[in-house]
Amino acid sequence: MSLTLLPGLPPNAWADSGFPRSVTDALGRQVHIARRPERLLVVFPSNIELVWALGLGERVAAIGGSVRWPPEALERPRIGGALGYSVEAAAAHRPDLLILTPAHQSALHLVEAFERIGVPSLVLAHPDLPSVLRNLTLLGQATGSEAAAARVRASLQQALNQIAQRLVGVAPPSVYLETAAAARGAYQTMGQGHYANDALHWAGGRNVFANQLRGAQQVSAEAIFLHDPEVIISLQQKPKDPASIADRPGWERLRAVQTGRVVVLERGHKLIPGPRQIEAVQAYARALHPSLFPPEGA
């Protein structure tokens, strides 16, 4: 099961009504939007995914950040790069709404600069899975696409509910979710207040570091050994044989290794807090409960 995002909708899909309006963004700012935005400047992959999920791709004038999806977004002009974002270069695209996120610190200076020239900026934060759903609604309000936002949010919620129904009465196994592994024995994972932790929970797993860590953190092999997880899920850019994890010094003693419950998944969009997080939940559910969630097409 996977979520089908809305295709690009025609420019007149929504009536230009209800403007001017104000919305409250992630910084607690009251953002005044005089008219329905027609030229969006969108920074950060998660925001790109939200915009395209609502069928607003045709309104995007330019994008910023390490965007790899959807393919149509890659055709848009790009602003910014490793050295930051130029106000002049961004303004040259004549945007009437800037959409960005606090995680992209190098772009936040655009907010004040755009305020001075009368262009509103909407700052979205996606620290956890509920915030992704809330931001669909907020972005819908800011762009005059409330109906599309309601449909996409309802579709996501329905998919989550279907997973939850299958997991009724099922004990969640303990899980170590590895988001990166360094050569010197340092490993990346996460705790509470992170969308991947929420995704694991929705998939019927219990993150072994949920009560110890907050957000993305680095942990040692010793900390992982102390928890001795029942399942290991490793996210890798180019998935390797799960046996490579068993080959790490001392890891052969872990329950997950001894019982063959080591799963390697492609990292891809699983670490992008956008609407496709539902697909991450589905992938984790298949890894944790294969009898309840058989592979697609099986």
Side-chain angles (χ1 to χ4, degrees):
M1 178 178 61
S2 62
L3 176 70
T4 301
L5 300 182
L6 295 176
L9 300 179
N12 60 353
W14 303 280
D16 188 5
S17 60
F19 288 90
R21 62 177 60 171
S22 294
V23 298
T24 304
D25 73 359
L27 299 181
R29 301 161 53 246
Q30 283 290 311
V31 181
H32 180 74
I33 304 173
R35 61 187 62 84
R36 194 188 82 154
E38 298 293 345
R39 293 185 61 81
L40 307 177
L41 198 162
V42 190
V43 180
F44 213 57
S46 54
N47 295 331
I48 296 287
E49 297 204 7
L50 286 166
V51 166
W52 251 267
L54 297 187
L56 300 174
E58 293 185 3
R59 295 204 224 168
V60 175
I63 64 173
S66 302
V67 179
R68 297 183 178 87
W69 190 93
E72 306 93 286
L74 306 183
E75 301 171 0
R76 298 297 190 272
R78 290 178 179 261
I79 64 164
L83 299 179
Y85 293 80
S86 161
V87 174
E88 293 75 14
H93 294 283
R94 297 178 292 108
D96 48 18
L97 180 64
L98 169 65
I99 301 168
L100 69 165
T101 186
H104 220 136
Q105 294 290 334
S106 60
L108 278 178
H109 73 282
L110 295 176
V111 173
E112 183 178 350
F114 273 39
E115 282 182 349
R116 290 198 297 268
I117 59 176
V119 177
S121 301
L122 183 70
V123 180
L124 302 178
H126 323 286
D128 49 31
L129 201 50
S131 68
V132 174
L133 300 179
R134 291 193 300 269
N135 284 335
L136 282 165
T137 299
L138 178 58
L139 186 57
Q141 294 169 343
T143 58
S145 50
E146 293 93 337
R151 288 197 299 272
V152 176
R153 182 166 178 168
S155 178
L156 289 167
Q157 191 63 61
Q158 181 182 21
L160 290 172
N161 291 343
Q162 289 173 345
I163 293 171
Q165 289 169 5
R166 293 197 196 185
L167 292 170
V168 172
V170 177
S174 59
V175 188
Y176 162 57
L177 178 62
E178 181 175 277
T179 57
R184 297 184 178 180
Y187 306 95
Q188 193 81 18
T189 186
M190 83 298 302
Q192 292 183 19
H194 193 284
Y195 54 88
N197 179 67
D198 295 339
L200 266 185
H201 173 75
W202 274 99
R206 179 175 60 83
N207 179 8
V208 295
F209 289 105
N211 296 324
Q212 289 182 271
L213 305 178
R214 185 156 192 87
Q217 297 282 346
Q218 196 172 80
V219 295
S220 65
E222 288 75 15
I224 299 166
F225 294 164
L226 285 174
H227 287 288
D228 195 15
E230 296 172 77
V231 183
I232 294 173
I233 299 177
S234 176
L235 304 183
Q236 301 177 9
Q237 199 65 39
K238 294 183 179 180
K240 299 177 182 178
D241 190 325
S244 63
I245 292 176
D247 290 339
R248 295 172 181 172
W251 286 59
E252 74 280 356
R253 302 194 304 269
L254 291 172
R255 277 187 297 176
V257 173
Q258 292 178 355
T259 58
R261 300 205 66 186
V262 178
V263 180
V264 176
L265 299 175
E266 184 179 5
R267 185 182 303 160
H269 60 272
K270 295 179 182 65
L271 295 181
I272 296 177
R276 291 192 297 163
Q277 270 299 306
I278 184 59
E279 296 176 18
V281 175
Q282 292 162 345
Y284 299 150
R286 287 192 291 270
L288 297 172
H289 306 282
S291 62
L292 295 176
F293 301 91
E296 291 183 296

